[in-house]
Amino acid sequence: MINAHAGPLASRLRGVVVGRDGGEPSDDELLGRYVRSGDAEAFAHLVRRHGAMVWGVCRRLLSDYHAAEDAFQATFLVLVARASAVAPRDRVANWLHGVAYNTALKARAREARRRTRERLSAAPAEPMAPPVPDSSDLRPALDRELSGLPARYREAILLCDLEGRTHAEAARQLGCPEGTIAARLSRGRAMLAGRLSRRGITLSVAALAIELAAGTAAGAIPPRLIRRTVDTAELVAAGGALPPHVASLTHGGFKAMLLEKWKVALVGSALLVALAVAGAAEHTGPPVVSRAGAGRIAARPAPVRVAPPREEQLLVTSFHAADGVAEVFKPDGTPARRLSMGELGHVWRPRYSPDGTRLAVTKVGPFVPNSGPWASIDLHVFDPASKDGPGEPLISGMRCMFFAWHPDGTKLYVSHLPPDVKDVAADKPAPVATWVYDLKTKKKAPLELPAGYGIVDVSRDGKTLLAVTMTLNDVYPSRTYLIPVATLKPQLLTEKRFDGQRLSPDGKSVLGVRVEKDLVPLTRSLTVVAVADGSERAVKLPAGADRVYQACWSPNGRRIAFHWCEEVPVEPNQVLGVEGGKGWADRVTVADPDGGNPKTILTSDGKRSVSGLDWK
């Protein structure tokens, strides 16, 4: 995604756009203003109005969060390119749904081709049957069948079910009576349920309405993405750069825009509004939009420069470190920066939010009697770019805590012993409970999950929770479970003892530290467990790495990072020094998921004790 600087448009997003009658403007009015004069406020209003629907389409078809963001931006950039082609203008939702659906399909096909190339290059050339699509999966089927409905029924569902508008609001938008909207909505749902049933997905009309409403609630669009999309549109109009993935997805739209530009120019239309760029001949920095063009997104072609892809970053936190407790590295080991953690010490197992804009960390506090190794723990959530570091904890003083980000980045699953649980049998499963914390409202709601399951990760599509059970006299979890969100019924993945489990980005594997508790000395190896059948595959480790403690996936799942220790001579005053002048020095290595092509990016001198890794 483009990290666009806030320009003239950003300050104007707070402005109020009103219709001819002083009320909410129609799509016809907004699109007309944009086509006529490049009205930035009108464009931003369209993005805010229809963004949730477009985001829902992208998330249903694309399991990768960042790919969904790319498709979302591409959809509205095609609107920039083809605004004057939308007809009739009061059917913007209908038009955007079609563009979003086709753009997301294009992104999904591109990802499938990439995976096929990787599989063919990694395996012998053998005949391979094509994958059989799962016709019972509602998410991708919903938009396909919805796009096949007659326009009048599709519009009613888009506005009322996917954008959450009332019948009265939809009626005003489409210029028809409320009764007509109600009738179209009822008929459209029945037709959609019938189309889905032919694909093997059986839902009553009432159940379909609930599913559509639930999809709308789950598809809440991050406000940051709206701002970024509108800013990107302004930059593109001014000759700014596009990320490569977005550029390729919008290629068809911009090609059509060029053709349209010539047709419009021939008839002398005033629809093309030029943006003055100050000092274009000499200026080498970011594009500068003149004051005359401020607040306008020109409906005209502009050169599209491809920006570098998002830079990945690997975060390493430490219990003890002379140079700070949180440091960010590039995957090649180049130090990038240190995070400000304020007065926070003993941080443990950091987790970036799905969009990378927030960081959740736990602070291990004083020992609590009868809590086993699980001392009092505080959970902090903060902006990693902040110079002030973490503020007050979201949760404090809890025992046996686990947490994981919800895929939308606005909520956290948090499991811990309830505060009123005082006495727990050390050899019985800890009766942890789980809550969903909404970071926007600062409220929490209990998850109706049987006691004893601690949530440690969530699949990117939000359908599956990864959970563990443990006793208070255990240092490591006892069993690992997969829990479908739809049923909240735990399914055993493995009875073997694992620590630090992480789901792969595609949801097909679990990376974790395999703990052989009964072996002396205790052995910690790195293992990948297949979600399909629980089979295990050991990761090849560097020589001398018989103690692995932390591991994580790269954002695309093609690499892993892991923290391990090597026995080295140390000085008596060093943190990890032990009797006899021997100690364990920490290492962080990046490698392929099988351990191939390793590169150690961090080599400790014995003064650092790594406590967590995360990769964004």
Side-chain angles (χ1 to χ4, degrees), residues 584-609:
W584 297 97
D586 290 53
R587 312 279 188 254
V588 174
T589 297
V590 173
D592 295 337
D594 61 359
N597 300 312
K599 179 177 182 179
T600 297
I601 66 169
L602 176 64
T603 301
S604 168
D605 59 359
K607 295 181 180 181
R608 178 194 297 266
S609 177

Side-chain angles (χ1 to χ4, degrees), residues 491-508:
Q491 301 170 0
L492 181 66
L493 177 64
T494 177
E495 292 184 337
K496 296 178 181 178
R497 198 174 298 271
F498 277 87
D499 186 31
Q501 299 94 318
R502 305 288 290 270
L503 272 166
S504 60
D506 62 8
K508 296 180 179 180

Side-chain angles (χ1 to χ4, degrees), residues 188-198 201-205 208:
R189 288 171 178 167
M191 294 175 69
L192 181 57
R195 294 178 68 95
L196 290 170
S197 68
R198 290 192 288 273
I201 304 172
T202 304
L203 287 174
S204 67
V205 174
L208 177 60

Side-chain angles (χ1 to χ4, degrees), residues 101-231:
Y101 178 68
N102 289 324
T103 301
L105 284 180
K106 184 176 181 179
R108 192 168 69 169
R110 183 179 62 188
E111 186 66 14
R113 289 193 297 270
R114 181 191 62 78
R115 289 195 298 267
T116 299
R117 288 194 300 269
E118 291 177 351
R119 185 174 64 247
L120 292 176
S121 63
E126 297 179 359
M128 183 174 296
V132 179
D134 184 0
S135 62
S136 66
D137 191 349
L138 174 62
R139 289 163 61 96
L142 179 63
D143 292 286
R144 175 174 180 175
E145 299 307 326
L146 184 58
S147 64
L149 292 180
R152 59 185 181 277
Y153 301 120
R154 180 169 64 251
E155 288 166 349
I157 292 176
L158 289 175
L159 295 177
C160 296
D161 287 336
L162 296 186
E163 292 191 353
R165 301 202 211 175
T166 66
H167 290 186
E169 291 170 339
R172 284 194 299 270
Q173 181 68 41
L174 298 178
C176 62
E178 287 186 46
T180 301
I181 293 295
R184 290 179 181 176
L185 191 59
S186 176
R187 176 59 178 155
R189 288 171 178 167
M191 294 175 69
L192 181 57
R195 294 178 68 95
L196 290 170
S197 68
R198 290 192 288 273
R199 295 175 61 86
I201 304 172
T202 304
L203 287 174
S204 67
V205 174
L208 177 60
I210 294 173
E211 183 68 34
L212 290 168
T216 300
I221 177 173
R224 167 198 54 79
L225 182 56
I226 294 179
R227 293 192 299 270
R228 196 174 276 179
T229 299
V230 180
D231 284 346

Side-chain angles (χ1 to χ4, degrees), residues 174-413:
L174 298 178
C176 62
E178 287 186 46
T180 301
I181 293 295
R184 290 179 181 176
L185 191 59
S186 176
R187 176 59 178 155
R189 288 171 178 167
M191 294 175 69
L192 181 57
R195 294 178 68 95
L196 290 170
S197 68
R198 290 192 288 273
R199 295 175 61 86
I201 304 172
T202 304
L203 287 174
S204 67
V205 174
L208 177 60
I210 294 173
E211 183 68 34
L212 290 168
T216 300
I221 177 173
R224 167 198 54 79
L225 182 56
I226 294 179
R227 293 192 299 270
R228 196 174 276 179
T229 299
V230 180
D231 284 346
T232 299
E234 183 181 26
L235 285 179
V236 168
L242 274 178
H245 293 293
V246 177
S248 65
L249 293 175
T250 58
H251 174 73
F254 280 103
K255 182 177 179 181
M257 180 177 67
L258 291 173
L259 295 175
E260 186 174 348
K261 178 237 182 181
W262 285 107
K263 290 188 292 183
V264 173
L266 287 173
V267 298
S269 172
L271 299 182
L272 303 181
V273 181
L275 281 177
V277 181
E282 296 85 17
H283 184 63
T284 58
V288 177
V289 181
S290 74
R291 294 183 63 183
R296 288 183 285 166
I297 305 174
R300 62 178 290 259
V304 178
R305 298 198 304 270
V306 176
R310 285 185 298 268
E311 184 176 64
E312 294 183 0
Q313 295 182 341
L314 184 62
L315 173 64
V316 179
T317 60
S318 303
F319 282 127
H320 309 282
D323 53 357
V325 297
E327 190 168 3
V328 176
F329 296 86
K330 296 180 181 179
D332 63 2
T334 304
R337 63 191 179 98
R338 293 195 180 100
L339 296 190
S340 173
M341 302 300 287
E343 300 298 321
L344 206 63
H346 289 85
V347 296
W348 184 55
R349 289 189 174 169
R351 296 290 186 271
Y352 280 113
S353 61
D355 63 4
T357 61
R358 283 189 280 189
L359 183 66
V361 298
T362 51
K363 174 190 175 183
V364 180
F367 173 77
V368 176
N370 301 319
S371 68
W374 297 96
S376 173
I377 297 176
D378 298 344
L379 177 62
H380 293 259
V381 180
F382 66 103
D383 180 356
S386 169
K387 295 181 180 179
D388 299 327
E392 293 298 316
L394 176 69
I395 311 167
S396 62
M398 295 301 169
R399 293 182 292 156
C400 218
M401 184 186 290
F402 308 89
F403 73 91
W405 281 97
H406 187 282
D408 69 6
T410 67
K411 294 182 282 291
L412 280 166
Y413 290 97

